[in-house]
Amino acid sequence: QPKKLLARLSIPLAMAAVFRKSKVDWSLYSKRVEGAYDSYIAYSLLRGEGKVVYVPERLTEYRDHLGGASAEFHLDTTEGLAYVHGLILEDPAFASIAKEIRRTYLSLEKHLAKLSFLRFDIPSTVKHCARLVRHGIVSTGRRDEKRKRRLK
């Protein structure tokens, strides 16, 4: 189930995948992808319903440097992941994993809203909250008010 792996952010594309560049749909790629290019490429390749083969043997070696990522890199990557997850949420081909994607998207946008708020970047905070509302993940409260009025 490659789509479920995508939902779990478990496809280490950049360091452990071989794919045909021509199979990637670059039409939705933008600067907003930032550091999440591997998630975008995985999403694009899975949209095409191409063949996916898993090889269980370890084929790469890499080191994880403690404290190696800067705060800006973290922010850019998180922004990119939120953008890619937003694309996936709107794509009917991924309806089977919408619940998992919605959960991850909620977490990413909440984190981005918190980071923006802590930096006193109110426009970005509002932008991230609006995205949560747009995807139906959180409510503005208006529906709840209407429902309460109908019940009375």
Side-chain angles (χ1 to χ4, degrees), residues 85-98:
H85 278 68
L87 292 175
I88 297 169
L89 273 176
E90 294 172 0
D91 192 328
F94 288 80
S96 64
I97 60 166

Side-chain angles (χ1 to χ4, degrees), residues 19-71:
F19 59 91
R20 286 190 174 96
K21 186 177 177 183
S22 63
K23 296 292 184 182
V24 176
D25 175 9
W26 297 104
S27 66
L28 298 174
Y29 190 85
S30 77
K31 282 182 71 176
R32 291 182 59 195
V33 171
E34 294 285 347
Y37 60 89
D38 52 347
S39 290
Y40 175 81
I41 292 170
Y43 158 66
S44 178
L45 291 169
L46 291 174
R47 273 181 89 208
E49 299 293 329
K51 183 177 177 183
V52 176
V53 178
Y54 173 72
V55 179
E57 293 86 33
R58 184 181 188 137
L59 303 174
T60 61
E61 295 234 8
Y62 61 95
R63 293 186 303 160
D64 189 11
H65 299 279
L66 296 176
S70 70

Side-chain angles (χ1 to χ4, degrees), residues 62-86:
Y62 61 95
R63 293 186 303 160
D64 189 11
H65 299 279
L66 296 176
S70 70
E72 282 302 311
F73 176 78
H74 170 73
L75 182 61
D76 289 346
T77 301
T78 307
E79 284 269 6
L81 283 170
Y83 172 72
V84 172
H85 278 68

